[in-house]
Amino acid sequence: MTGCISKPRAEIILPPEPQREELPEVKTVEDLGHTINYYEHLVQSWEAWADSVKKIIGEESPSQPGK
């Protein structure tokens, strides 16, 4: 009788997720500008993180349907 021997999968290590900080209350137009810039940067950080994760998972995944 033959059996299937599978290798244990290596643990996938992902980069740390971007962290959101609490911002001070918006009181002036300048504060609003800083808040908008902060969130634009945060979105870009999450997008870059997601791209990195897709690359890592794609490299680790043995088969990817549709690719």
Side-chain angles (χ1 to χ4, degrees):
M1 178 178 244
T2 60
C4 182
I5 299 174
S6 61
K7 292 192 268 183
R9 290 183 124 209
E11 182 179 346
I12 297 174
I13 300 173
L14 301 177
E17 295 178 349
Q19 297 297 310
R20 181 179 182 268
E21 20 179 286
E22 192 163 333
L23 300 175
E25 182 180 338
V26 174
K27 295 181 181 178
T28 66
V29 173
E30 186 178 351
D31 292 345
L32 181 59
H34 288 297
T35 300
I36 291 170
N37 286 334
Y38 169 77
Y39 281 108
E40 286 177 349
H41 176 73
L42 186 61
V43 167
Q44 291 170 356
S45 298
W46 273 103
E47 289 171 344
W49 180 84
D51 289 342
S52 297
V53 168
K54 286 177 188 175
K55 288 178 184 174
I56 292 169
I57 291 175
E59 292 171 3
E60 297 290 327
S61 178
S63 65
Q64 291 183 352
K67 288 226 172 193

